[in-house]
Amino acid sequence: MSSESMPRETAPVTSLPEAPAAPERPELLELFVAFAKMSLAGFGGVLVWARRAIVDQHRWMTADEFNEAFALCHFLPGPNIVNLSVVFGARFRGIPGSIAAFLGLVGPPVVIVTVLAAIYARYGEIPALQRTLAGVSCAAVGLFLAVIARMMMPLLKRRDPVTLALLAAVFIAIGVVRFPLVPVLIVAIPLSVAVTFVTRRKATP
C-alpha cells in the first residue's frame, strides 16, 4: 500500500478563546435615556445608580475606569454626578454626548422637584410626612455607603500599601480630624498622581 493511500492523521484544531467584545458606544438617545433612568431612580443619590448602570448593567466602563472618572469629577467644581455625566458623554459622543447625558440627568428631576417643592411648601408641617422623610434619609445613607464599599473593592484588591495608606490618611484628615477640605486636596491630589504614575510605570514591562 502506497503512502499516498494511507490516511493522514491531522492534529486536532483547537480554537483560540475569543476575546470579549467591547461594548458598543452608546448613541445620543441611549445616553439621554440611561441618565434619565439614573436620575429618576436616584433616591439617596444618583451615584449609586450611575455606577450600577455604567459598570454592571451596560458595561460601558470597568470598575477602575469608573473610579478614575469619578475621581476626576470629584475634584472639579460643581456637583460630582453632573460632572460625571458631562465627562462620560464627551468620552463616547463628544459635546453632543455631554449635552444628551446632562439633559437626561437634570431634566426629569427638575420637573419632579419643582412639583414636590410646591407640595412640601403647603403640607411640609404634617408629622406623617416628616417621619416619611426621616425614613427615606436613612435609606439614602445606606445606599451611599453601599456604593462607597463597591468603589473601594478595586483599590483593596490591588493590596498596594501606599495607596491604602493614602486613602486612610485622607479619610482621617477630613472625616476624623476635620481638616479643611481644600488644604487636604492640595496635598492629596499631587500625592495620588505621583503614586499612580510610579505604580503604573513599575507595572509596565
Side-chain angles (χ1 to χ4, degrees):
M1 183 178 292
S2 62
S3 59
E4 295 182 357
S5 60
M6 292 289 292
R8 297 181 180 179
E9 295 183 358
T10 57
V13 179
T14 58
S15 58
L16 296 176
E18 296 183 358
E24 296 182 0
R25 294 194 310 160
E27 300 292 339
L28 294 179
L29 180 59
E30 192 174 3
L31 281 172
F32 177 86
V33 172
F35 276 87
K37 288 180 178 179
M38 296 176 201
S39 64
L40 291 174
F43 298 99
V46 182
L47 176 62
V48 180
W49 307 98
R51 189 191 183 282
R52 177 176 297 180
I54 292 173
V55 177
D56 299 332
Q57 182 179 356
H58 298 289
R59 300 187 184 278
W60 288 329
M61 283 182 170
T62 64
D64 286 331
E65 289 173 341
F66 182 86
N67 286 353
E68 292 171 0
F70 182 74
L72 171 64
C73 298
H74 188 76
F75 293 127
L76 295 176
N80 300 331
I81 191 62
V82 174
N83 294 340
L84 180 64
S85 69
V86 174
V87 170
F88 183 83
R91 173 172 177 169
F92 290 99
R93 292 294 172 182
I95 294 178
S98 295
I99 296 173
F102 173 77
L103 292 179
L105 180 70
V106 303
V110 165
V111 177
I112 295 174
V113 168
T114 301
V115 174
L116 291 179
I119 296 175
Y120 183 79
R122 184 175 182 86
Y123 303 105
E125 300 300 325
I126 299 177
L129 180 58
Q130 293 179 349
R131 289 193 295 270
T132 301
L133 295 177
V136 171
S137 65
C138 294
V141 172
L143 288 172
F144 186 69
L145 293 176
V147 75
I148 289 176
R150 298 197 65 180
M151 289 180 66
M152 286 180 60
M153 290 306 298
L155 299 176
L156 296 177
K157 287 180 179 179
R158 294 175 189 170
R159 297 180 180 178
D160 184 355
V162 178
T163 301
L164 296 178
L166 183 60
L167 186 152
V170 173
F171 173 78
I172 293 172
I174 296 178
V176 179
V177 185
R178 304 289 183 178
F179 284 153
L181 178 62
V182 174
V184 174
L185 294 182
I186 291 175
V187 175
I189 292 174
L191 284 177
S192 299
V193 173
V195 168
T196 303
F197 178 79
V198 172
T199 302
R200 292 189 177 182
R201 190 173 182 179
K202 289 182 178 179
T204 303

